């Protein structure tokens, strides 16, 4: 299920969009101010962010600037009328698209579908994931560290892939469990810790490099140095 974050201070609009996206089968989180939205984007993985420009405190452009330091998640800006400069600086700052308020929900849904499709295509055309000297090729299902091939089991590989796909974002144990073992698995989140240990033994202990950070009580993250 694709996850979308709405950062929008107009509560009614945020709630409306949340309901509509929910109907379309997206999993939605919303934040009513910029800082909260930025924190959510840092703490959880999203496939797309809808970002209002006119926010109290930190405005949308500033949020986008900070977001782009750690994430390449597609962003669609929600702009008020007559703010051509906002659109221009938004696209310059790394927004993928924008939509002017008031908008028809069908138009927003169409733009969301386009952005998500572009994101998937980008992943297919350049599939290799990297962190420092570590490289994972999802198509060849190969992991290399300092150019030496590392032998991983299927679960270890999948776990490393999810962490690398969500670089700089703390992945909760529950979410890792769901992504790698599936909803039905009832072995508990211990399985995640066990496989993180296996992974560390293979990629960290041998190289002396640290890739996977533990966020106590939450989960795991691989960060850019
Ligand atoms: Ca606003």
């Amino acid at each position: 299920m694709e996850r979308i974050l709405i950062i929008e201070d107009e509560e009614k609009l945020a709630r409306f969009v949340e309901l509509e996206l929910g109907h379309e089968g997206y999993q939605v989180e919303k934040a009513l101010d910029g800082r909260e939205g930025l924190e959510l984007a840092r703490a959880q993985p999203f496939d797309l962010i809808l970002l209002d420009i006119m926010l109290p405190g930190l405005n949308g452009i500033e949020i986008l600037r900070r977001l782009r330091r750690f994430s390449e998640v597609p962003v669609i800006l929600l702009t008020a009328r007559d703010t051509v400069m906002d659109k221009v600086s938004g696209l310059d700052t790394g927004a993928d698209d924008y939509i002017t308020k008031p908008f028809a929900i069908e138009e927003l849904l169409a733009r969301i579908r386009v952005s998500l499709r572009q994101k998937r295509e980008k992943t297919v055309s350049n599939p290799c994931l990297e962190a420092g000297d570590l490289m994972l090729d999802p198509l060849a299902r190969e992991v290399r560290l300092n150019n030496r091939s590392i032998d991983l089991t299927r679960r270890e590989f999948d776990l490393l892939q999810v962490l690398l796909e969500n670089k700089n974002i703390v992945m909760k144990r529950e979410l890792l469990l769901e992504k790698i073992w599936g909803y039905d698995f009832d072995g508990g989140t211990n399985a995640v810790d066990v496989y993180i240990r296996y992974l560390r033994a293979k990629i960290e202990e041998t190289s002396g490099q640290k890739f996977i950070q533990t966020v106590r009580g939450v989960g795991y993250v691989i960060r850019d140095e």
Side-chain angles (χ1 to χ4, degrees):
M1 197 190 285
E2 282 163 314
R3 293 168 48 83
I4 297 179
L5 171 63
I6 310 166
I7 307 176
E8 166 65 77
D9 62 317
E10 285 165 63
E11 227 173 319
K12 266 173 77 179
L13 178 62
R15 179 81 189 127
F16 169 69
V17 172
E18 181 186 25
L19 285 174
E20 292 290 332
L21 295 183
H23 281 306
E24 293 298 308
Y26 298 113
Q27 200 178 330
V28 183
E29 296 277 340
K30 66 178 191 311
L32 296 174
D33 77 71
R35 281 180 202 280
E36 184 195 346
L38 199 58
E39 284 318 300
L40 268 175
R42 215 188 285 278
Q44 296 178 27
F46 290 98
D47 297 294
L48 185 133
I49 295 179
L50 299 176
L51 176 61
D52 182 27
I53 290 189
M54 297 286 282
L55 290 164
L58 286 182
N59 73 33
I61 301 294
E62 185 54 32
I63 299 293
L64 183 58
R65 189 168 292 128
R66 296 186 188 193
L67 178 77
R68 282 288 174 258
R69 289 182 198 148
F70 65 91
S71 170
E72 290 183 10
V73 62
V75 171
I76 299 178
L77 291 173
L78 310 178
T79 71
R81 251 191 268 254
D82 305 325
T83 49
V84 177
M85 277 317 292
D86 279 352
K87 290 173 195 167
V88 171
S89 56
L91 293 174
D92 282 348
T93 310
D96 299 81
D97 200 357
Y98 60 85
I99 188 165
T100 306
K101 294 179 190 176
F103 48 79
I105 193 69
E106 291 74 19
E107 192 189 349
L108 179 64
L109 292 172
R111 285 168 186 260
I112 288 173
R113 283 194 295 272
V114 169
S115 281
L116 289 173
R117 191 172 63 233
Q118 286 169 346
K119 180 192 178 213
R120 283 191 292 268
E121 284 164 0
K122 214 161 89 186
T123 312
V124 169
S125 66
N126 182 20
C128 283
L129 304 165
E130 289 176 350
D133 299 327
L134 189 65
M135 192 278 297
L136 181 146
D137 182 342
L139 296 180
R141 288 196 69 85
E142 189 187 29
V143 172
R144 301 183 78 83
L145 179 56
N146 297 318
N147 261 328
R148 277 189 36 225
S149 183
I150 304 280
D151 199 22
L152 298 182
T153 65
R154 199 185 105 217
R155 298 261 198 238
E156 290 162 0
F157 185 93
D158 292 346
L159 185 56
L160 184 60
Q161 182 173 348
V162 170
L163 288 171
L164 285 170
E165 280 171 349
N166 295 284
K167 213 157 48 165
N168 300 315
I169 293 168
V170 179
M171 297 297 286
K172 289 187 183 152
R173 285 189 179 77
E174 293 76 14
L175 190 63
L176 289 170
L177 196 69
E178 184 187 308
K179 280 183 177 289
I180 291 146
W181 281 268
Y183 281 109
D184 315 333
F185 183 76
D186 55 6
T189 51
N190 265 351
V192 175
D193 302 325
V194 170
Y195 275 82
I196 290 283
R197 269 208 300 282
Y198 293 160
L199 257 183
R200 280 182 168 149
K202 289 186 180 177
I203 63 174
E204 293 186 350
E205 284 167 26
T206 53
S207 71
Q209 285 175 273
K210 190 141 180 60
F211 294 101
I212 304 168
Q213 294 178 19
T214 304
V215 181
R216 211 172 287 258
V218 184
Y220 298 96
V221 60
I222 292 180
R223 296 190 206 273
D224 284 320
E225 298 103 285

